[in-house]
Every structure is written in structure tokens, then in C-alpha cells.
Amino acid sequence: MATTRNIPEYDRKSELKAFDDSKSGVKGLLDGGMTKIPLMFIHPRYNPDAKSESAVSQFRVPLIDVDGVNDNATLRAKIIDQVREACENWGFFQVVNHGIPASVLEEMIDGIRGFHEQDTQMKKEFYRRDFKDKVSFLSNFDLFEATAATWKDSLSWPMVPNPPDPTEFPAVCRDIVTEYSKQVKRLGHTLFELLSEGLGLHVNHLKDTGCAEVIFHVGHYYPPCPEPELTLGASRHADSGFLTVLLQDQVGGLQVLHQNQWIDLVPMPGALVINVGVSLQVITNDRFKSIEHRVLANRVSSRVSMASAFGTTLFPSSKLYSPIKELLTQENPPKYKEATLQAHVAYLRGKRV
């Protein structure tokens, strides 16, 4: 039986403000010697006793080897089929042999960890909530709106179309950020080509639609948690953009909701996690599925991940989207009206509550 903690009446707004004003994040709480998590982090509806069925489940998130995808037409067709099936049935898959050197992946993880584990005073100069235009360190993008805070800190920055000046990045990860971003952008373009072909469209259709016009990076740090049974590293959600490329360390904790079961997405050395965002689900008329996922907190070890979002509703746009006309038939009419991505995402998230 999971442990619980009685939650007394308290001034939540004051607790949130004091936490935000500290500019120290979750790790700052641990550095201060905290042994019980603040009430603002407790998730009242979280049931850790039903947190995962992976141990007894036959389900495994698809793993796709994309080596040689541009060299052999027969192999490319096979990989396209695998990607299409993963997006239709899972909304998630892992890729290996994707062309990004292991050294670049390791250096990116080390850079994010190095930033979050440095002296708090070094991090405070980056702490801000106007994160959309600059390199920003903060804890919980939705701190003042969410029902409960999550157990993570984040370093974020926009990279496409308007990247920050290199001098604006923290020294500890400045050099690797540009190289990793360049490599992920290339991989993202390849993935959009495979997705386009998987839909029976021209190879550049999704790129021409604007799916790669915005790329936003977030380096998450999940500190060890003294009471992991009471909170989450990331609450259940579906990403808002078109596609997310996720680099994670080997700690684990990411879970995918598949056929009403929480499935552990087991890390693999050198692999990248790819998941369909709500925006891609909309324009494919539900052909590709955007699946909810979450991250568990743990007592033993910190966890580091690096998410690269292609498209995001963090940047409001008046551009209108609707299902791709080439995918529609009399038997498959449009499920969504023309609207902004923000409106589509709000609609689908409302349906899932």
C-alpha cells in the first residue's frame, strides 16, 4: 500500500510564490535539506499502486533501426512501414542508428546535467518565466495553473526560427547546444519525410506544411525525490506540437499509456524516443495518434532528458490548420474544422480530461 500524507488547509498561492521567488527550483529544495516534499507537489489523484503493468505486459514500444534509410529503396520502404505502424498504433517509437554520434548524445546529457547541478547562484541569472524568447531556467512552465507541481526543473530555449545568440547560453553547455540542435533538426527533417511517405504523400509534404518551422528545446532535470509515491516527474499529458525527439539518460521513468496500460519505455543506449504530437494527429485526421505519457519520480537517482519539440503551442500563431485534404475521402471525412493549433490542442485536451 502506498504511503499517503494528510493535506491540511494551506495558502497554496503563497507557497507557489515563495518557491518561484527562490529561483532555485526543485533541486534547491533538496540542497536546502528538505526531507518531505512541499504540499504543492502532491498529486491527489495519482495512484502509484497502479503505476505500471509493464512487468506482466506483452507490450513493448516499437524500436526502429533507420540505418541506411537513404541508401536503399527496399529498406526505406520497410522502415516507412514500421514508422507508419508505430504512429498509427502507438504514437511512440525509439530509433537507433539515426546518424547522431553517441559522443554528441552523451555530451548533451552531460551539459544539461552540468547546468542543473552547478551552484544555484550560477543558475539564478537564467531564471525567468518569459521563457519563449530566451534561454530560460525555471521549474514547471505551468506552475501557477496546474493542479499540482511536478518534480522537475527545466532549461529551455527556442532554436528555430530565431535562436538565441551563442553567448546567451550557459557556459557549461554552450558548445554542445549548437551541434546537437543541428543534428536533431536534420533527423527531424528525415522523420517528416518518412511520415509523409507513410501517409502516401509527397516526401516533402509535412515539411512544406510547416511542421518544422518551430523547434523548441527543453533540458529537464528530475532530482531524487524523498517521497516519490506522492508526486510525479511529469504528469500525464500529450505533447502539443507535431513531433518530439527525446534524448534521455539510462535512469528510466518515462511511461506511455497504451491500451489503458502504463508501459515503461525502457531506455536504450544511443536510442532516441520519437512521439507524435497533438498537432500531427489533427492534420492526419487521427491517422497518427498522439498518446498520453508521464514520468515517475524516484528516490534513488536524478534523471536527465532533452526534448526537442517540432512545433509547439507555446508560441501563439494565427495560422489555421485542418486535416490534410489528400487524406480525406467520403468514408474518411474531416474530424476537425479549420482552426489554430492552440484551439485544436485545447479541444483534444478537453476531451481527454
Side-chain angles (χ1 to χ4, degrees):
M1 178 68 68
T3 61
T4 59
R5 175 133 57 94
N6 290 328
I7 303 178
E9 290 293 322
Y10 76 111
D11 188 346
R12 179 176 174 79
K13 286 184 179 180
S14 293
E15 187 174 77
L16 291 170
K17 186 176 186 305
F19 173 73
D20 196 46
D21 287 347
S22 76
K23 300 183 178 182
S24 301
V26 174
K27 188 170 186 301
L29 297 175
L30 290 179
D31 292 344
M34 182 213 64
T35 58
K36 287 191 175 294
I37 68 174
L39 297 178
M40 57 184 270
F41 289 96
I42 295 177
H43 287 239
R45 291 193 297 170
Y46 173 42
N47 180 6
D49 293 326
K51 67 185 178 184
S52 174
E53 299 186 31
S54 292
V56 295
S57 173
Q58 75 275 26
F59 296 123
R60 291 292 180 270
V61 175
L63 177 68
I64 302 175
D65 187 337
V66 294
D67 188 31
V69 68
N70 295 316
D71 303 329
N72 181 300
T74 302
L75 177 61
R76 184 180 180 89
K78 178 184 176 183
I79 292 171
I80 288 169
D81 284 342
Q82 292 175 331
V83 168
R84 184 188 66 248
E85 288 175 10
C87 291
E88 290 176 346
N89 299 320
W90 276 87
F92 269 83
F93 57 96
Q94 293 198 83
V95 290
V96 292
N97 293 320
H98 41 68
I100 303 180
S103 58
V104 172
L105 303 182
E106 292 165 9
E107 194 175 340
M108 190 68 253
I109 287 288
D110 290 345
I112 295 301
R113 183 181 298 281
F115 171 81
H116 287 287
E117 293 185 350
Q118 68 184 327
D119 183 82
T120 300
Q121 289 303 124
M122 299 285 287
K123 295 187 287 186
K124 280 187 176 182
E125 66 176 286
F126 294 96
Y127 198 93
R128 59 177 66 89
R129 293 213 166 264
D130 57 340
F131 58 86
K132 298 173 186 177
D133 300 319
K134 300 177 180 179
V135 180
S136 305
F137 161 57
L138 79 166
S139 187
N140 287 255
F141 292 116
D142 58 351
L143 181 67
F144 294 97
E145 293 80 40
T147 304
T150 53
W151 199 255
K152 69 170 178 292
D153 299 328
S154 305
L155 179 71
S156 67
W157 63 93
M159 205 65 191
V160 175
N162 300 309
D165 186 276
T167 59
E168 295 179 36
F169 287 99
V172 70
C173 59
R174 182 175 298 154
D175 293 338
I176 188 58
V177 160
T178 301
E179 178 61 23
Y180 182 77
S181 298
K182 180 179 72 175
Q183 298 265 6
V184 167
K185 180 180 179 180
R186 177 193 55 77
L187 174 61
H189 285 191
T190 297
L191 291 169
F192 281 124
E193 290 177 0
L194 300 177
L195 293 167
S196 294
E197 292 185 77
L199 292 166
L201 303 170
H202 184 274
V203 64
N204 290 325
H205 190 105
L206 291 176
K207 286 191 291 184
D208 292 343
T209 300
C211 292
E213 283 181 353
V214 173
I215 307 177
F216 187 72
H217 296 285
V218 189
H220 293 304
Y221 183 84
Y222 304 82
C225 180
E227 296 181 293
E229 66 279 358
L230 298 180
T231 191
L232 285 160
S235 53
R236 63 184 290 175
H237 68 285
D239 292 359
S240 67
F242 293 102
L243 203 69
T244 301
V245 177
L246 180 77
L247 166 64
Q248 58 176 341
D249 63 14
Q250 299 304 298
V251 172
L254 175 61
Q255 295 186 325
V256 177
L257 189 61
H258 181 71
Q259 295 191 13
N260 211 32
Q261 295 183 49
W262 285 111
I263 308 299
D264 290 322
L265 201 158
V266 180
M268 283 191 59
L272 290 167
V273 178
I274 314 299
N275 75 282
V276 172
V278 170
S279 299
L280 188 58
Q281 177 173 327
V282 167
I283 66 171
T284 62
N285 208 40
D286 288 354
R287 175 94 173 263
F288 292 164
K289 304 295 193 297
S290 178
I291 301 302
E292 290 185 314
H293 48 287
R294 68 184 185 183
V295 176
L296 305 183
N298 81 77
R299 194 183 303 273
V300 178
S301 175
S302 61
R303 175 181 183 268
V304 175
S305 69
M306 174 72 187
S308 301
F310 287 76
T312 172
T313 54
L314 289 174
F315 306 95
S317 170
S318 59
K319 187 173 181 179
L320 302 178
Y321 288 85
S322 58
I324 297 168
K325 291 181 174 57
E326 289 85 345
L327 303 181
L328 304 177
T329 63
Q330 202 165 7
E331 296 75 31
N332 182 36
K335 296 180 171 68
Y336 305 94
K337 296 179 180 179
E338 192 172 59
T340 63
L341 291 181
Q342 298 95 283
H344 284 306
V345 170
Y347 168 72
L348 276 174
R349 285 181 174 168
K351 286 182 66 176
R352 289 173 170 173
V353 170

